[in-house]
Tab-separated table of all heavy atoms in Angstrom:
chain	number	residue	atom	x	y	z
L	37	HIS	N	-17.886	8.368	-3.763
L	37	HIS	CA	-17.355	7.892	-2.482
L	37	HIS	C	-15.899	7.429	-2.637
L	37	HIS	O	-15.017	7.806	-1.854
L	37	HIS	CB	-18.239	6.749	-1.974
L	37	HIS	CG	-18.090	6.433	-0.523
L	37	HIS	ND1	-18.874	5.515	0.122
L	37	HIS	CD2	-17.230	6.899	0.429
L	37	HIS	CE1	-18.512	5.447	1.386
L	37	HIS	NE2	-17.514	6.269	1.584
L	41	HIS	N	-14.035	10.958	-2.131
L	41	HIS	CA	-13.794	10.905	-0.687
L	41	HIS	C	-12.568	10.042	-0.355
L	41	HIS	O	-11.640	10.511	0.307
L	41	HIS	CB	-15.033	10.385	0.048
L	41	HIS	CG	-16.172	11.345	-0.001
L	41	HIS	ND1	-16.294	12.409	0.874
L	41	HIS	CD2	-17.238	11.427	-0.833
L	41	HIS	CE1	-17.383	13.104	0.592
L	41	HIS	NE2	-17.980	12.522	-0.444
L	42	HIS	N	-12.576	8.789	-0.776
L	42	HIS	CA	-11.449	7.913	-0.438
L	42	HIS	C	-10.146	8.477	-1.035
L	42	HIS	O	-9.127	8.575	-0.353
L	42	HIS	CB	-11.736	6.498	-0.969
L	42	HIS	CG	-10.849	5.424	-0.416
L	42	HIS	ND1	-10.975	4.102	-0.766
L	42	HIS	CD2	-9.806	5.462	0.458
L	42	HIS	CE1	-10.057	3.386	-0.134
L	42	HIS	NE2	-9.348	4.187	0.615
L	45	TYR	N	-8.800	11.405	1.004
L	45	TYR	CA	-8.064	11.036	2.221
L	45	TYR	C	-6.632	10.618	1.873
L	45	TYR	O	-5.684	10.950	2.595
L	45	TYR	CB	-8.777	9.889	2.950
L	45	TYR	CG	-10.153	10.242	3.478
L	45	TYR	CD1	-11.270	9.469	3.141
L	45	TYR	CD2	-10.350	11.331	4.322
L	45	TYR	CE1	-12.535	9.773	3.626
L	45	TYR	CE2	-11.614	11.644	4.813
L	45	TYR	CZ	-12.705	10.859	4.456
L	45	TYR	OH	-13.953	11.179	4.934
L	85	GLN	N	-9.075	6.958	7.807
L	85	GLN	CA	-10.129	6.943	6.793
L	85	GLN	C	-9.671	6.205	5.526
L	85	GLN	O	-10.487	5.547	4.874
L	85	GLN	CB	-10.577	8.370	6.458
L	85	GLN	CG	-11.478	8.978	7.530
L	85	GLN	CD	-12.820	8.246	7.640
L	85	GLN	OE1	-12.928	7.183	8.267
L	85	GLN	NE2	-13.840	8.796	7.013
L	89	HIS	N	-11.858	2.837	4.643
L	89	HIS	CA	-12.557	2.727	3.356
L	89	HIS	C	-12.098	1.512	2.563
L	89	HIS	O	-12.919	0.815	1.964
L	89	HIS	CB	-12.398	4.017	2.534
L	89	HIS	CG	-13.348	5.083	2.977
L	89	HIS	ND1	-13.042	5.979	3.978
L	89	HIS	CD2	-14.626	5.368	2.590
L	89	HIS	CE1	-14.083	6.777	4.176
L	89	HIS	NE2	-15.055	6.427	3.354
L	92	TYR	N	-13.868	-1.259	4.048
L	92	TYR	CA	-15.311	-1.205	3.728
L	92	TYR	C	-15.590	-1.777	2.349
L	92	TYR	O	-16.520	-2.581	2.185
L	92	TYR	CB	-15.773	0.245	3.837
L	92	TYR	CG	-17.146	0.569	3.308
L	92	TYR	CD1	-18.305	0.015	3.851
L	92	TYR	CD2	-17.296	1.499	2.263
L	92	TYR	CE1	-19.567	0.364	3.376
L	92	TYR	CE2	-18.549	1.853	1.792
L	92	TYR	CZ	-19.684	1.276	2.346
L	92	TYR	OH	-20.927	1.629	1.866
L	93	TRP	N	-14.791	-1.397	1.344
L	93	TRP	CA	-15.050	-1.944	-0.014
L	93	TRP	C	-14.996	-3.457	0.025
L	93	TRP	O	-15.771	-4.136	-0.627
L	93	TRP	CB	-14.039	-1.408	-1.033
L	93	TRP	CG	-13.926	0.082	-1.104
L	93	TRP	CD1	-12.769	0.822	-1.081
L	93	TRP	CD2	-14.991	1.052	-1.207
L	93	TRP	NE1	-13.059	2.170	-1.145
L	93	TRP	CE2	-14.404	2.333	-1.227
L	93	TRP	CE3	-16.384	0.955	-1.271
L	93	TRP	CZ2	-15.155	3.508	-1.309
L	93	TRP	CZ3	-17.136	2.122	-1.353
L	93	TRP	CH2	-16.525	3.376	-1.376
L	138	TRP	N	-18.844	4.488	11.840
L	138	TRP	CA	-18.733	3.143	11.297
L	138	TRP	C	-19.343	2.129	12.262
L	138	TRP	O	-19.238	2.288	13.471
L	138	TRP	CB	-17.252	2.785	11.108
L	138	TRP	CG	-16.497	3.746	10.250
L	138	TRP	CD1	-15.958	4.949	10.634
L	138	TRP	CD2	-16.224	3.623	8.858
L	138	TRP	NE1	-15.369	5.558	9.553
L	138	TRP	CE2	-15.506	4.771	8.458
L	138	TRP	CE3	-16.508	2.626	7.904
L	138	TRP	CZ2	-15.082	4.967	7.143
L	138	TRP	CZ3	-16.078	2.822	6.597
L	138	TRP	CH2	-15.381	3.978	6.228
L	171	ASP	N	-19.877	1.667	6.493
L	171	ASP	CA	-19.677	3.108	6.553
L	171	ASP	C	-21.035	3.776	6.744
L	171	ASP	O	-21.949	3.556	5.935
L	171	ASP	CB	-19.031	3.563	5.226
L	171	ASP	CG	-18.609	5.029	5.210
L	171	ASP	OD1	-19.052	5.789	6.081
L	171	ASP	OD2	-17.845	5.381	4.295
L	173	TRP	N	-21.159	7.251	7.341
L	173	TRP	CA	-21.071	8.670	6.990
L	173	TRP	C	-22.163	8.955	5.954
L	173	TRP	O	-22.454	8.106	5.105
L	173	TRP	CB	-19.711	8.975	6.368
L	173	TRP	CG	-18.568	9.080	7.332
L	173	TRP	CD1	-18.122	8.107	8.182
L	173	TRP	CD2	-17.699	10.200	7.513
L	173	TRP	NE1	-17.036	8.560	8.886
L	173	TRP	CE2	-16.755	9.837	8.491
L	173	TRP	CE3	-17.623	11.470	6.940
L	173	TRP	CZ2	-15.746	10.709	8.917
L	173	TRP	CZ3	-16.614	12.331	7.358
L	173	TRP	CH2	-15.696	11.954	8.337
L	175	HIS	N	-22.025	10.539	3.293
L	175	HIS	CA	-21.556	10.421	1.904
L	175	HIS	C	-21.690	8.980	1.389
L	175	HIS	O	-21.636	8.750	0.191
L	175	HIS	CB	-20.127	10.965	1.736
L	175	HIS	CG	-19.051	10.201	2.460
L	175	HIS	ND1	-18.032	10.812	3.167
L	175	HIS	CD2	-18.821	8.878	2.588
L	175	HIS	CE1	-17.230	9.893	3.673
L	175	HIS	NE2	-17.689	8.704	3.341
L	176	ALA	N	-21.848	8.006	2.300
L	176	ALA	CA	-21.975	6.606	1.883
L	176	ALA	C	-23.353	6.300	1.300
L	176	ALA	O	-23.505	5.324	0.560
L	176	ALA	CB	-21.710	5.677	3.074
X	1	FE2	FE1	-16.970	6.914	3.507
Side-chain angles (χ1 to χ4, degrees):
H37 198 175
H41 292 277
H42 194 179
Y45 296 126
Q85 284 294 80
H89 280 88
Y92 169 63
W93 306 131
W138 304 82
D171 187 345
W173 283 60
H175 66 223

